[in-house]
């Protein structure tokens, strides 16, 4: 979580955050039993429809969880960082051959551990407190889903984009010389998939933000230059 100089200004946008991280040490015993796997930005870590009955623990990096609606439209449901787990519900169902409904794609260089179902169950049986960790993690994930719904309830795409950028800064932002940096190389399509818009509209709005000196882009990463103005824009006051 960002703790820099603009913390007080952007903290109000935490309620819209899609970012989920967790205490990595909780899964240390599980992660120690399998060999880590590395992925480059853009690589698919786990595809939609996966039936391998295993969980994926994020050790480092950031990945997006996405799905495809019945209409054929792709959306990003949330973003996960170190300590977050993908695939827990599908691993715990009675029929483990059922395919997952979401996919996991690296947004940066990532290192993960793919833990088979039998190792997870042994870990839980060893100490019931471990099951409490799972429940805690899944409750946190449910809260992120609610926060995404709140983001999508914001009436205009421009306000949703400004809110998304501020909420990402609240989660993973970094102070830099130009302003407040989001250390993720977000494409216009990724932003569109999050705010339920289209790539052309997002590209136009980002260009407007850059033209008005509210945002700039350095080495593929967006930097918020005028945070106060963006806050007003996000709340429909500008």
């Amino acid at each position: 979580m960002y703790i820099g100089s603009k913390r007080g200004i952007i903290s109000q946008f935490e309620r819209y955050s899609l970012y989920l991280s967790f205490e990595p040490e909780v899964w240390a015993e599980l992660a120690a039993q399998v060999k880590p796997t590395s992925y480059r930005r853009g690589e698919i870590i786990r595809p939609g429809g996966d039936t391998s009955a295993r969980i994926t623990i994020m050790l480092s990096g950031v990945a997006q969880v996405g799905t495809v609606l019945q209409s054929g439209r792709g959306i990003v449901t949330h973003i996960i960082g170190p300590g977050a787990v993908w695939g827990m519900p599908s691993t715990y169902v009675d029929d483990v051959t059922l395919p997952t409904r979401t996919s996991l794609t690296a947004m940066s260089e990532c290192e993960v551990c793919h833990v088979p179902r039998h190792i997870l169950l042994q870990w839980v049986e060893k100490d019931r407190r471990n099951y409490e960790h799972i429940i805690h993690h899944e409750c946190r994930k449910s809260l992120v889903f609610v926060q995404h719904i709140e983001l999508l309830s914001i009436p205009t795409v421009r306000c949703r984009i400004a809110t998304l950028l501020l909420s990402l800064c609240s989660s993973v932002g970094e102070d830099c010389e130009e302003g407040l940096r989001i250390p993720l190389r977000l494409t216009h399509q990724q932003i569109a998939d999050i705010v339920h818009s289209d790539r052309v509209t997002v590209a136009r709005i980002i260009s407007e933000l850059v033209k008005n000196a509210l945002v700039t882009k350095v080495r593929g990463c967006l930097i918020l230059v005028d945070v106060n103005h963006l806050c007003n824009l996000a709340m429909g006051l500008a």
Side-chain angles (χ1 to χ4, degrees):
M1 180 181 293
Y2 172 73
I3 56 174
S5 59
K6 297 181 178 62
R7 174 69 187 160
I9 301 173
I10 64 175
S11 60
Q12 60 190 307
F13 295 94
E14 287 178 15
R15 63 180 293 179
Y16 303 105
S17 176
L18 277 69
Y19 183 75
L20 173 66
S21 60
F22 204 67
E23 297 76 21
E25 61 275 8
V26 167
W27 319 114
E29 185 179 352
L30 279 172
Q33 299 185 59
V34 296
K35 183 179 179 180
T37 305
S38 297
Y39 294 89
R40 296 188 301 271
R41 175 180 178 269
E43 284 192 306
I44 297 175
I45 300 173
R46 298 278 297 274
D50 189 282
T51 57
S52 56
R54 55 183 179 164
I55 62 169
T56 297
I57 302 172
M58 293 288 294
L59 301 179
S60 65
V62 178
Q64 70 176 38
V65 180
T67 190
V68 178
L69 304 177
Q70 288 186 345
S71 63
R73 180 189 180 88
I75 62 169
V76 174
T77 60
H78 59 294
I79 297 169
I80 62 177
V85 176
W86 183 91
M88 193 72 78
S90 58
T91 304
Y92 254 93
V93 296
D94 292 332
D95 185 359
V96 294
T97 64
L98 291 175
T100 59
R101 296 181 179 180
T102 58
S103 60
L104 187 64
T105 306
M107 297 181 72
S108 66
E109 290 188 0
C110 295
E111 187 175 52
V112 309
C113 279
H114 299 297
V115 180
R117 183 176 189 263
H118 71 276
I119 293 179
L120 173 66
L121 296 180
Q122 289 170 1
W123 179 72
V124 171
E125 291 172 2
K126 181 179 178 181
D127 188 340
R128 294 299 294 180
R129 286 176 297 182
N130 293 333
Y131 186 68
E132 294 176 5
H133 292 316
I134 292 174
I135 295 298
H136 186 197
H137 177 276
E138 293 305 299
C139 286
R140 289 264 295 273
K141 186 172 72 174
S142 296
L143 177 60
V144 171
F145 281 128
V146 172
Q147 290 172 175
H148 194 183
I149 292 171
E150 286 197 43
L151 172 66
L152 294 178
S153 71
I154 295 173
T156 70
V157 177
R158 182 176 284 99
C159 291
R160 290 203 294 272
I161 290 175
T163 299
L164 172 65
L165 298 181
L166 289 160
S167 69
L168 285 173
C169 279
S170 177
S171 301
V172 297
E174 301 172 347
D175 282 317
C176 65
E177 185 176 349
E178 297 89 348
L180 192 51
R181 176 176 176 266
I182 301 172
L184 299 172
R185 291 166 60 191
L186 292 166
T187 66
H188 291 156
Q189 187 61 58
Q190 284 174 316
I191 295 174
D193 290 343
I194 293 172
V195 301
H196 205 67
S197 183
D198 59 84
R199 185 186 58 80
V200 174
T201 300
V202 169
R204 174 176 55 79
I205 292 173
I206 294 294
S207 294
E208 290 176 0
L209 296 178
V210 171
K211 182 179 179 181
N212 292 324
L214 303 183
V215 170
T216 189
K217 202 168 189 177
V218 178
R219 292 187 289 278
C221 293
L222 290 171
I223 297 174
L224 311 193
V225 178
D226 190 338
V227 173
N228 289 317
H229 197 140
L230 274 171
C231 288
N232 290 334
L233 179 61
M235 293 184 288
L237 302 177

